[in-house]
Amino acid sequence: MKTIATIVGARPQFIKVAPVSKALAATGAANEVLVHTGQHHDAGMSDIFFEELGIDAPDHNLDIHGGGHGIMTGAMLQKLEPVLQELRPDRVLIYGDTNSTLAGALVAAKLHIPVAHVEAGLRSFNRAMPEEINRIVADQLSDMLFASTETAVHNLRHEGIAPERIFPVGDVMYDAALQFAERAAERAGLLATLGVEPGRYVLATVHRAENTDDPARLSAIVSALETVAASLSVILPLHPRTQARMTALGLTFARVRTVPPVGYLDMVALESQAAAIATDSGGVQKEAFFYKVPCVTLRDETEWVELVDLGWNHLAPPSSVGMAEAILQAVGSSGKDAQPYGDGKAAETIAGLLTR
């Protein structure tokens, strides 16, 4: 029986861990210990995901949140080290590109514990993004790199990662989309509660620091969404960081309908019935594609370049004009029929590799 210490901290990681934890349990060959750093800590950003996705309560909750990148990552290093020293797991499993990902990789590497990275090889090629630094460091410290796409595999090989460390497994978020589709469909009543009809609204999400921490970019996004809302309803689950930055800048919405952060199942219900999605989230870009909803990414670049190539995703940088037009033009559009994210069995493949 192998002991796997899984380190998570943010809502996108909770979605990814759900199918993998289920697959690990099904092998009967792994004892998974779940460590929650606390990076996303309130009920709407954390607890509801564990409840809805059937994830066991964390074995360890480090309760670390708030502060800048250095303060947060430093606190994680300090609290993670004694946990892993006591556990001495056979492997540490990390996900994505958050500060929790970076801290898990660093502590494990310094304790000489092998590291496996789910969603390895993603690159925006923009090192101003903290997520990009986290990805690069995590990949260099991992000995098992689970790549979601062929593009990710290419990136890793280009960086000199040994081929025997790279495993093209597919995307675990696609696994989750398939596993929870029926349950999410039961949330269709949410649209009536919000006063919108299927295919008659735009769903928006904004949370990345590059947008929320730049007054000019955030103001441009608010203005663009307001313009869209003059023609088509806009629903925006408002991230706490975005809300705080808007308040500090005196920005408000007159037409856009804001709601508190929603759980995974409600988010899928909103995504799958939208006319278009406008987002700066990597995960939401993929989920839009899973449900064949056109997406506009409010960033200068995207890691999920295959979605742009297929025509399902369009870039609309907040540093330029034309965001509102791009969102409205996306309504009713479609892209090529392809499936670059595997066959929905990425979690099973990962579990098999971790327990072999």
Side-chain angles (χ1 to χ4, degrees):
M1 181 78 70
K2 291 191 175 182
T3 297
I4 308 293
T6 295
I7 298 172
V8 294
R11 56 187 288 174
Q13 294 170 325
F14 307 148
I15 298 168
K16 295 163 193 170
V17 82
V20 177
S21 292
K22 179 180 177 182
L24 278 172
T27 67
N31 172 37
E32 185 180 27
V33 179
L34 189 62
V35 182
H36 187 343
T37 65
Q39 185 171 340
H40 284 170
H41 61 284
D42 63 39
M45 299 284 283
S46 177
D47 296 352
I48 190 171
F49 285 82
F50 281 80
E51 295 165 7
E52 290 185 349
L53 300 177
I55 306 170
D56 290 339
D59 298 282
H60 300 270
N61 193 323
L62 307 185
D63 197 29
I64 299 165
H65 46 83
H69 290 285
I71 292 173
M72 182 186 292
T73 306
M76 290 177 184
L77 294 173
Q78 186 176 25
K79 287 194 173 184
L80 270 174
E81 185 174 57
V83 172
L84 294 183
Q85 283 177 320
E86 180 180 351
L87 284 175
R88 297 307 306 181
D90 296 286
R91 188 175 298 278
V92 163
L93 182 61
I94 56 175
Y95 290 80
D97 55 19
T98 70
N99 288 335
S100 301
T101 312
L102 175 63
L106 283 170
V107 172
K110 287 180 176 292
L111 293 176
H112 308 293
I113 301 170
V115 179
H117 185 197
V118 175
E119 211 174 70
L122 285 191
R123 297 292 181 268
S124 67
F125 302 101
N126 176 6
R127 293 203 178 192
M129 291 176 59
E131 294 91 346
E132 185 78 350
I133 303 302
N134 294 343
R135 296 176 190 128
I136 292 170
V137 175
D139 283 342
Q140 289 296 325
L141 296 178
S142 299
D143 71 302
M144 297 184 78
L145 296 101
F146 300 129
S148 302
T149 66
E150 287 302 318
T151 301
V153 171
H154 171 79
N155 291 338
L156 292 170
R157 289 177 176 168
H158 182 72
E159 292 174 8
I161 302 293
E164 61 269 21
R165 292 165 55 194
I166 304 169
F167 301 88
V169 296
D171 197 303
V172 295
M173 287 192 70
Y174 184 45
D175 293 26
L178 295 176
Q179 290 180 19
F180 294 99
E182 290 186 9
R183 289 181 58 192
E186 297 171 1
R187 304 298 182 101
L190 174 64
L191 272 63
T193 302
L194 295 175
V196 293
E197 299 177 9
R200 301 290 298 275
Y201 65 93
V202 170
L203 175 67
T205 76
V206 181
H207 79 281
R208 283 195 182 270
E210 65 192 81
N211 286 332
T212 60
D213 294 355
D214 185 319
R217 291 172 74 96
L218 184 57
S219 297
I221 290 171
V222 169
S223 177
L225 294 179
E226 280 286 281
T227 299
V228 173
S231 302
L232 194 63
S233 296
V234 176
I235 303 296
L236 173 66
L238 193 56
H239 192 286
R241 177 196 292 129
T242 310
Q243 185 172 34
R245 299 296 190 271
M246 287 182 61
T247 300
L249 294 171
L251 297 172
T252 59
F253 286 115
R255 301 186 183 97
V256 172
R257 173 76 180 274
T258 62
V259 298
V262 298
Y264 176 69
L265 298 179
D266 282 345
M267 189 63 177
V268 169
L270 289 171
E271 289 168 340
S272 61
Q273 299 298 317
I277 293 174
T279 186
D280 60 8
S281 161
V284 174
Q285 291 174 52
K286 286 188 295 180
E287 287 167 344
F289 172 72
F290 297 155
Y291 307 114
K292 296 298 182 282
V293 175
C295 181
V296 175
T297 295
L298 308 177
R299 289 174 53 197
D300 299 315
E301 69 283 307
T302 178
E303 299 76 16
W304 305 106
V305 293
E306 54 278 348
L307 297 183
V308 176
D309 293 340
L310 291 171
W312 285 101
N313 193 1
H314 306 273
L315 291 174
S319 56
S320 64
V321 298
M323 271 188 296
E325 291 80 0
I327 296 167
L328 290 169
Q329 288 173 7
V331 174
S333 68
S334 62
K336 298 175 184 177
D337 187 16
Q339 183 46 274
Y341 299 116
D343 58 3
K345 297 182 179 180
E348 292 179 26
T349 304
I350 289 169
L353 290 166
L354 290 173
T355 56
R356 66 182 181 182

